[in-house]
Structures are given as structure tokens and as C-alpha cells.
Amino acid sequence: MYSGSSDGEGPEAPAQQRKIPPASSMLWVRNLRRYIGSGAGLGSEALMELETKRILLDIFKDKQQKSAEAGTIPSFYKKKPEEGSISHRVQRLAKYRFLKKQSDLLLNADDLDAMWVCLRENCVIDDATGAEKMNYEDFCHIASVCTEQIGPKCRRFFSPSNFMKFEKDESGRIAILPFYLYVMRTVSLTQARIDMSELDEDSDGFLQPHEMEAYIRGLIPNLAQLRDMPAAFVQMYCRIAAHKFFFFCDPHRRGKACIKKILLSNCLQELMELHQETEEEVTDTEQAENWFSLTSAQRICDMFLALDKDMNGTLSKQELREYADGTLTDIFIERVFDEHVRRGKIGGGNAREMDFESFLDFVLALENKDAPEGLTYLFRCLDLNGRGFLTTADIHTLFRDVHQKWIEGGNYELCIEDVRDEIWDMVKPTDALRITLADLLSCKQGGTVASMLIDVRGFWAHDNRENLLQEEEEPQEEG
């Protein structure tokens, strides 16, 4: 009979198989796991994944520890990545790709020309006014035609909400010209924002002075009225032009201006006016009205050089008194140096000299007295005691110098109290005993009041306002 093997192991074999020790207790298994756990036996990809998990775990534990230490205080400061680090390079690459994508979605000059042709070919002529108009059905049809010819990137301009933005006639039609100008302005502002964002080195949405100067320098070849600018004057021009942006867009003088605020400011629109070709002759006076014109920039430089008698690159109080033919009062000049000129090392420990940057602020404030930024600059000078308001005593003190220059000029005698009362009637302050900056801004005559208190010529213009208005109206009637 077949009773098993001759050594008697047959009947005991199943029992022996059930008693095999677990794999974890085997020596070779323990050695293999120890070998793999050290990472020595892994490939490069597996080793990298293991290292990544370890780093992420350390970061997670570090954040947990910091959160526990900080309690409920939220994080309000995030350190910027260091120059040349991986984070910095990834950030720059992501920014470049994003701006490139946004730039590709913009309409170029040929696209705008094609859109204008589509608008004119598919509009209707108003019999009463002769204006080219379109109703909503025409609007949708033009959108389809433009999409076929230009591409889907023009579709966003033909939304129902955009159609509703424009004034409609009794037939529900809008004029095509305002719509086209809206498209052009949107494209122009978007391109400007892309260009500024490319120059924004730390990507915080703000431009520093040298970044703003670089943006203006890039615009010069495309501005028709600046193409003939001497190469030696370009750096100075960019410095002067950029300063106006910071005067109006950086009121707290932090040394950086918000890109969004720059785009919405009148400064950018004034700069873009230089795109226009000057077919007819323009006088120097008309060109000087635009701060960004070449004539205006040269005027500012010539003015500073003429005042700088000792040619040390800064202006003393005595030199600044010659500004505007010496019509500004001495007390105003003193206050300008007290409030807006930093103490320097020139001429001794207590001497103050106005540098070119401060001079630009000074000129901008005097030429924009009606603007909130210019009036804020001047109010700090008028507020003799730094209390945030003007009293009758302050008005009397300020106008006393104007009165002296007025009499020295051979004008009639006037009563300071009458002028003070007239100023109070012009401003109509909320508090009858004091005039604040808010009062000057709300009365819409703050610039005139400031001129009356700091400049004898400004007071003369106010005193002769009726005659000056009549002289301005006579040429118009003759024309």
C-alpha cells in the first residue's frame, strides 16, 4: 500500500506547512526593507518622490508650529522671493506667459481698421443728423462679420451690456463713432497696463520712479510730437514727465504709484495726446499747457537753471523768491521750505536747499491749484501752525505780505479785513470760525483763494476778474 515516504514524513507535511513563520520575521525580508527604506535601492524618480514627500512634510509641520505659536493673529506680510531663487524665476516665467497671453488677445492696428470698415459698411445714416448709427440687430450682425474677419478676440466688445452703455436715440440706435472710440481706448489702456506690468519688477501692482521713466522712454518713439527730441535730453525729459504721475498718483509720497491709478488718471490721457500730428502751427504757449510736451519740459529746465544763480544744482530761499518775477510772498516761500524741502548738508547744518525734484512739486502745485493734489500741497503752506485749519488771524498774516507788494506796485489802498471777509464769503466754511482743506475743496474756489493769499499777481487777477472776462469774450465775438 502507498502509505507515504519511507522516512515517515508524509502524514506530518500539512502540519509543517501551516507552521511557516510570517514574512516579517524572516531575516532576508527585514534586511530588504531596511535597504529600501534608506533609499539606496531606489531609482532616481522614486528617490526624488521620497525626498519631495519628506520636504513637504517638514514644511507642513513648520507651518503648524508657527500657527500654534501665532495663535489667531492672521498673516499680513509675505516675504518676497529672493532674486535668482527658484520661486523668483517661476514667478517671472508665469508673469511673462500671462502677459503674453493677454497681449495676444488684444486687437492690433489692422484689426481696428477692419472693425471700423465693418461698422461703416453695416450701419445706417440718420436722416436728421447725418450720423452713422446702428440698432441692436445691426450690432449683432456686425459682431458676426467682425468675428469672421478678425477672429473671436473681438467678440467681447459686442456684448449686450456694452451696447447699453451708449446713448440711444428714439429708435434705440447708437452712434458707431463713440463705440469705436470706446474699443480703441479699451485696447490702448489694456496695452498700457501690460507694458507697465512688464516693468513692474516685484509684481506688486506699483511702479517705482525708474520703472515709470522706463515706460515713458519706451513711448517716445511712438509719440509724434516727441520724435525729434534730442538724445541728450531724453533722460531729463523722462524724469520730468514721470514726476507728474507721482505728484498726482502718489499723494503720500511712498515712492511708488499704483498702476490702476495711473491708468485712470488724466496724466496718461494728457501724455497720449502727443500721439497727434501737429498739422497746423502751434504756439509755444499752447504747447506749454501740456506738461508732457517738449516745450514744457524745456521751459521747466530753463526756469530752474535761471533761478540757480550759484549753479550748485539746488535753489535757496533767496533764489526761489525770483520765481514768477518775484510776485510770491516771502512768508509763502518760507512755508514751502518748512513743509516741502528736506534739510540738507549744503551751506551748513541748518540750511535748506530745494533740489530739482522738490522744484517740480512746487511748479506742479502752483500750476494745478484747483486740483486736490495741488491744493493739498498749498494748504500745508497756508496752515501756519499745522493745526489743519485757517483762522482769521492766519488769513490776516498771510495777506499782509500780499498787501505790501500790492501797495509797492502802485495800486490803490485796500482794507485787509474786507479781503478776509470776502474770502470767508467765497469759501462758506462749515465752521464759521475756521477754514479747512475740505472747505476749500468743496467750495470749488480753493485755487483762487490760495492765489490771493500767496501771490500778488493772483490777487490782481481776482480783483480784475470782470475786466479780464470781458477781454476774453471780445475776441470770441469778433471771430
Side-chain angles (χ1 to χ4, degrees), residues 4 81 105 110 114 137 176 199 229 231-232 245 253 269 293 305 351 366 372 384 387 396-397 410 440 457:
L105 295 175
D110 294 336
E137 292 181 0
I176 66 170
L199 296 169
M229 181 187 300
F245 283 97
R253 302 295 182 264
Q269 184 176 354
S293 66
L305 293 175
L366 291 177
L384 302 179
R387 296 173 296 185
H396 190 281
T397 302
L440 291 176
R457 186 180 294 172

Side-chain angles (χ1 to χ4, degrees), residues 132-167:
E132 297 173 314
K133 297 185 176 182
M134 58 181 172
N135 57 26
Y136 188 67
E137 292 181 0
D138 299 330
F139 185 75
C140 294
H141 175 67
I142 294 172
S144 301
V145 175
C146 289
T147 303
E148 292 176 1
Q149 296 185 6
I150 301 174
K153 58 184 177 181
C154 69
R155 190 74 191 181
R156 64 189 182 97
F157 295 107
F158 292 92
S159 63
S161 59
N162 279 346
F163 183 84
M164 296 300 296
K165 291 177 182 177
F166 298 93
E167 183 180 359

Side-chain angles (χ1 to χ4, degrees), residues 48-329:
M48 185 180 298
E49 183 178 356
L50 184 66
E51 181 68 12
T52 303
K53 288 181 179 180
R54 186 186 64 79
I55 294 174
L56 292 176
L57 183 60
D58 292 342
I59 294 175
F60 177 73
K61 290 180 179 179
D62 185 54
K63 285 187 175 182
Q64 277 191 325
Q65 182 180 356
K66 289 182 178 179
S67 298
E69 294 174 355
T72 58
I73 300 177
S75 176
F76 59 90
Y77 172 74
K78 185 176 180 181
K79 186 177 180 181
K80 295 179 181 179
E82 298 180 0
E83 184 74 25
S85 64
I86 295 179
S87 299
H88 182 260
R89 283 183 283 180
V90 170
Q91 185 184 68
R92 292 186 61 180
L93 180 60
K95 172 184 170 182
Y96 168 78
R97 290 187 175 181
F98 173 77
L99 295 178
K100 180 67 168 59
K101 180 180 179 181
Q102 297 300 314
S103 182
D104 293 339
L105 295 175
L106 284 180
L107 301 178
N108 56 36
D110 294 336
D111 296 335
L112 291 172
D113 292 340
M115 179 181 289
W116 178 243
V117 172
C118 290
L119 287 169
R120 298 202 65 185
E121 289 180 348
N122 296 276
C123 67
V124 295
I125 307 297
D126 191 338
D127 296 333
T129 61
E132 297 173 314
K133 297 185 176 182
M134 58 181 172
N135 57 26
Y136 188 67
E137 292 181 0
D138 299 330
F139 185 75
C140 294
H141 175 67
I142 294 172
S144 301
V145 175
C146 289
T147 303
E148 292 176 1
Q149 296 185 6
I150 301 174
K153 58 184 177 181
C154 69
R155 190 74 191 181
R156 64 189 182 97
F157 295 107
F158 292 92
S159 63
S161 59
N162 279 346
F163 183 84
M164 296 300 296
K165 291 177 182 177
F166 298 93
E167 183 180 359
K168 291 172 282 296
D169 60 12
E170 61 278 1
S171 301
R173 299 175 302 184
I174 66 172
I176 66 170
L177 183 58
F179 172 75
Y180 180 69
L181 294 177
Y182 160 77
V183 174
M184 289 187 63
R185 178 164 174 76
T186 302
V187 171
S188 176
L189 288 177
T190 306
Q191 184 62 61
R193 182 169 186 175
I194 292 173
D195 294 340
M196 292 181 188
S197 298
E198 288 179 350
L199 296 169
D200 182 12
E201 295 177 357
D202 50 6
S203 302
D204 62 348
F206 290 81
L207 291 184
Q208 299 179 27
H210 70 278
E211 296 169 343
M212 192 68 217
E213 291 176 17
Y215 172 73
I216 295 173
R217 190 178 297 110
L219 283 181
I220 291 178
N222 300 321
L223 299 176
Q225 299 182 34
L226 299 180
R227 289 172 185 164
D228 298 331
M229 181 187 300
F233 190 68
V234 170
Q235 183 176 357
M236 179 59 69
Y237 172 82
C238 294
R239 184 180 176 187
I240 294 172
H243 201 85
K244 183 168 186 176
F245 283 97
F246 282 86
F247 182 82
F248 284 95
C249 301
D250 181 26
H252 301 296
R253 302 295 182 264
R254 296 183 299 171
K256 57 182 183 179
C258 178
I259 292 179
K260 290 184 179 179
K261 197 168 185 179
I262 292 174
L263 294 171
L264 297 175
S265 69
N266 293 329
C267 299
L268 186 62
Q269 184 176 354
E270 186 180 357
L271 177 61
M272 293 305 175
E273 289 177 1
L274 303 181
H275 274 295
Q276 302 173 0
E277 297 281 356
T278 54
E279 297 179 356
E280 54 186 22
E281 294 184 1
V282 181
T283 63
D284 291 343
T285 305
E286 292 174 339
Q287 289 186 358
E289 292 178 355
N290 188 326
W291 176 270
F292 299 101
S293 66
L294 183 58
T295 302
S296 175
Q298 292 173 335
R299 172 182 65 88
I300 299 298
C301 285
D302 294 341
M303 191 188 308
F304 185 84
L305 293 175
L307 293 173
D308 187 14
K309 301 297 183 182
D310 56 5
M311 302 184 68
N312 67 341
T314 57
L315 301 180
S316 63
K317 295 179 183 178
Q318 187 62 36
E319 291 171 335
L320 190 62
R321 288 189 176 98
E322 300 301 319
Y323 180 85
D325 299 326
T327 59
L328 298 177
T329 62

Side-chain angles (χ1 to χ4, degrees), residues 322-337:
E322 300 301 319
Y323 180 85
D325 299 326
T327 59
L328 298 177
T329 62
D330 292 344
I331 189 172
F332 172 64
I333 298 297
E334 291 286 343
R335 291 294 297 153
V336 167
F337 274 77

